[in-house]
Amino acid sequence: MIDFSRDYYAKLFSDLENIKDKIIAEQFDCSKKLGIAWNTKDDNGKVEYAFKKMPRKVPDSLLTPFTDEKVANFMQSDRIIAFTKIIVPSKQHVAPHYDNSYWGPEFFRSHIPLMDTEAYFTYGDEKIIWEKSKLYFFDVRGVRHSADNYSDKDFEFISIDIKIENEQ
């Protein structure tokens, strides 16, 4: 488990909280969607990448330029690995799973819901009802998690993959 109480994370969370509203205001280029099925026959789930930094490569340029300088500077820092907008379709279930470290460096994830709706995130044994604009932090590699969107609308949220502090 990640010790989120460490100073590294406190500063990071504070920085993220300070620019959260600006992050929410960012627009995504809808032509960059990647379909996701999430273990169902419904492949309407979407991931819209603003950017992703792959291991052992120079970070990709932004797929969608940020409109705010503070957001751009924060997202381009070495600690940020990927910035995406995720769309979970109406009535979709995302099966329980662990995320692997496909980026290379170990990471954790922040989510920022863009709407209030009947969408839930199950993290271990805890069922979380998403609250619009609230920051959430998860060890998605170490804790089994799933999601459900029971509403009649697609559920949208921002996802930010963040490097874990080197604890040497």
Side-chain angles (χ1 to χ4, degrees):
M1 287 290 275
I2 300 169
D3 180 4
F4 286 131
S5 67
R6 295 171 59 105
D7 289 345
Y8 169 87
Y9 298 111
K11 171 75 168 97
L12 175 79
F13 298 162
S14 174
D15 290 349
L16 199 46
E17 183 67 45
N18 288 334
I19 63 168
K20 177 182 63 176
D21 291 338
K22 294 176 187 293
I23 290 171
I24 292 169
E26 290 293 338
Q27 299 299 310
F28 284 72
D29 179 352
C30 294
S31 67
K32 305 294 185 199
K33 290 182 182 177
L34 302 175
I36 299 251
W38 288 310
N39 302 327
T40 71
K41 293 180 181 178
D42 182 349
D43 65 353
N44 292 323
K46 300 285 186 255
V47 174
E48 301 176 4
Y49 277 100
F51 69 80
K52 54 186 175 180
K53 299 175 185 175
M54 300 305 288
R56 296 177 297 284
K57 291 170 80 175
V58 175
D60 293 342
S61 60
L62 286 176
L63 300 176
T64 304
F66 291 112
T67 56
D68 185 272
E69 185 178 351
K70 286 183 180 179
V71 173
N73 290 339
F74 181 83
M75 293 303 166
Q76 289 295 350
S77 75
D78 289 341
R79 58 191 173 180
I80 306 301
I81 301 172
F83 181 84
T84 61
K85 179 178 174 185
I86 298 176
I87 301 168
V88 180
S90 171
K91 309 300 183 199
Q92 178 94 51
H93 169 70
V94 179
H97 65 283
Y98 296 91
D99 292 312
N100 62 20
S101 191
Y102 40 75
W103 298 123
E106 297 297 317
F107 71 98
F108 67 97
R109 187 166 287 155
S110 176
H111 287 162
I112 308 171
L114 299 176
M115 57 189 48
D116 284 320
T117 189
E118 292 179 73
Y120 302 89
F121 188 74
T122 303
Y123 183 70
D125 294 330
E126 181 182 6
K127 186 173 183 177
I128 298 165
I129 301 170
W130 291 119
E131 293 179 42
K132 180 181 178 180
S133 303
K134 183 174 177 178
L135 278 172
Y136 296 90
F137 299 96
F138 303 110
D139 178 1
V140 293
R141 298 166 312 105
V143 178
R144 186 177 162 125
H145 54 281
S146 64
D148 290 284
N149 179 7
Y150 296 119
S151 77
D152 292 328
K153 297 179 186 176
D154 289 351
F155 176 65
E156 300 179 359
F157 64 95
I158 300 293
S159 179
I160 305 169
D161 287 352
I162 305 167
K163 275 187 204 175
I164 291 175
E165 177 189 27
N166 183 350
E167 297 187 17
Q168 295 178 355

